[in-house]
Amino acid sequence: MLRTDELDYQLPAGMIATEPISPRDAARLMVVHDRGAGAVEHRRVSDLPELLLAGDRLVFNTTRVLPARFVGVREDTGGKVGGLFLKQLGHGRWLAMVKARRFRPGAPIRLFDAAGHRTGVVLSLIERGIADGATLELDGRNPSVPGYEKGNFVGPTIFSGVKPGMSIYDQEIFGPVLCLAAADRLDEAIEFINANPNGNGTAIFTQSGAAARKFQEDIDVGQVGINVPIPVPVPLFSFTGSRASKLGDLGPYGKQVVLFYTQTKTVTARWFDDSTTSQGVNTTISLR
């Protein structure tokens, strides 16, 4: 009969490696000789060439341990839950073995990361941004807030080199995450913004009336700011986000709520490049 207590081995935490040693060939190597005195010898991986003899066969283990274990909390009750991932069924959906009482299939779980912090949509998108190749200039994941060490916070996070097709470009991130992308020309910047599936708000900072006019006319976004960093209107105006940033045909507040009972005003304006101001006032109706 096999006694399970004989399988227990207490290893001090300080002896457990948490990351690969540098250089890698400095890792410990246990050499087992024929039975007898000195059957076990402790060496380094760098000693391996001198230990191999002619005719020896070297076998490489290329398997990797799947990080299948998870710990989290149930969104319905807040109770702690743990288990093992078995098979991915889709984005964010897994078949799993769960250790919990009265846990119904399909119930959502909010996971903890390896450090014990709760994860979420914002942190998940930050991770995907790194995986997609964007440069993480400022990392705001899991900040420590004095007095609220067990809280769930995300600090200011900045990405550069963001391109279409990246998750942090294609999805709206409702968190303190700034994504930077470069454009050489105004037309290129407008095309870049218009290609995004969302259209909540956008802004341009310029002293050129012509550039401002072109931007507000060509941009396909519901809320436009000119020298205004956050073009979200105050409550007396309506929310006018477009494309995937809005559902429905009217705004949820402001004058669009009572659009059927009010009279609207149309303002037509025209701007010219600064280089044309020396030619006098242009009063023609031609748009050329």
Side-chain angles (χ1 to χ4, degrees):
M1 179 181 294
L2 177 65
R3 296 179 51 183
T4 57
D5 59 344
E6 294 179 348
L7 303 178
D8 292 338
Y9 180 76
Q10 299 299 324
L11 182 64
M15 298 294 292
I16 301 175
T18 58
E19 58 185 25
I21 193 172
S22 180
R24 296 297 296 273
D25 62 0
R28 293 179 178 272
L29 177 68
M30 183 174 67
V31 182
V32 180
H33 301 283
D34 293 336
R35 293 182 179 274
V40 176
E41 183 182 3
H42 295 283
R43 303 285 292 269
R44 299 283 179 178
V45 173
S46 57
D47 300 329
L48 188 58
E50 64 182 70
L51 297 173
L52 296 176
L53 302 176
D56 286 347
R57 176 174 295 179
L58 193 61
V59 179
F60 288 93
N61 182 358
T62 59
T63 59
R64 294 291 183 270
V65 177
L66 177 67
R69 182 177 180 271
F70 66 84
V71 177
V73 293
R74 297 172 55 171
E75 289 193 350
D76 54 353
T77 65
K80 191 173 181 180
V81 61
L84 294 173
F85 291 119
L86 300 180
K87 180 181 179 182
Q88 187 170 11
L89 303 177
H91 178 63
R93 298 179 62 249
W94 285 78
L95 178 65
M97 291 194 305
V98 178
K99 183 180 180 180
R101 293 182 178 179
R102 295 184 296 276
F103 188 82
R104 60 181 178 82
I109 300 174
R110 187 167 298 277
L111 302 180
F112 295 151
D113 62 13
H117 301 101
R118 292 188 181 185
T119 62
V121 175
V122 176
L123 292 177
S124 175
L125 285 171
I126 293 175
E127 296 289 346
R128 291 170 64 180
I130 297 173
D132 288 343
T135 301
L136 184 61
E137 303 287 356
L138 180 63
D139 191 351
R141 292 172 294 178
N142 299 318
S144 178
V145 179
Y148 301 91
E149 287 78 7
K150 295 184 178 180
N152 301 304
F153 301 97
V154 179
T157 302
I158 300 177
F159 278 104
S160 65
V162 178
K163 300 177 181 179
M166 294 183 175
S167 299
I168 55 176
Y169 168 87
D170 294 335
Q171 299 185 38
E172 289 182 306
I173 305 177
F174 289 91
V177 181
L178 178 65
C179 300
L180 303 177
D184 295 328
R185 298 175 294 106
L186 179 60
D187 288 336
E188 182 182 347
I190 292 175
E191 292 175 1
F192 183 84
I193 296 172
N194 289 346
N196 192 283
N198 304 292
N200 191 327
T202 185
I204 183 174
F205 295 86
T206 179
Q207 289 298 103
S208 170
R213 182 64 175 178
K214 178 177 178 58
F215 185 80
Q216 74 177 55
E217 289 297 318
D218 293 350
I219 207 72
D220 183 20
V221 174
Q223 300 176 130
V224 181
I226 298 177
N227 297 320
V228 177
I230 304 177
V232 177
V234 293
L236 59 93
F237 297 104
S238 295
F239 176 85
T240 54
S242 60
R243 300 200 298 283
S245 297
K246 179 184 178 182
L247 296 176
D249 57 347
L250 296 177
Y253 54 80
K255 65 181 182 180
Q256 283 193 10
V257 177
V258 290
L259 185 63
F260 295 119
Y261 309 100
T262 58
Q263 178 178 332
T264 60
K265 178 189 293 184
T266 299
V267 178
T268 304
R270 189 179 178 192
W271 293 79
F272 299 93
D273 192 85
D274 293 341
S275 61
T276 65
T277 57
S278 61
Q279 301 176 9
V281 179
N282 190 330
T283 60
T284 66
I285 197 171
S286 174
L287 297 181
R288 296 182 178 179

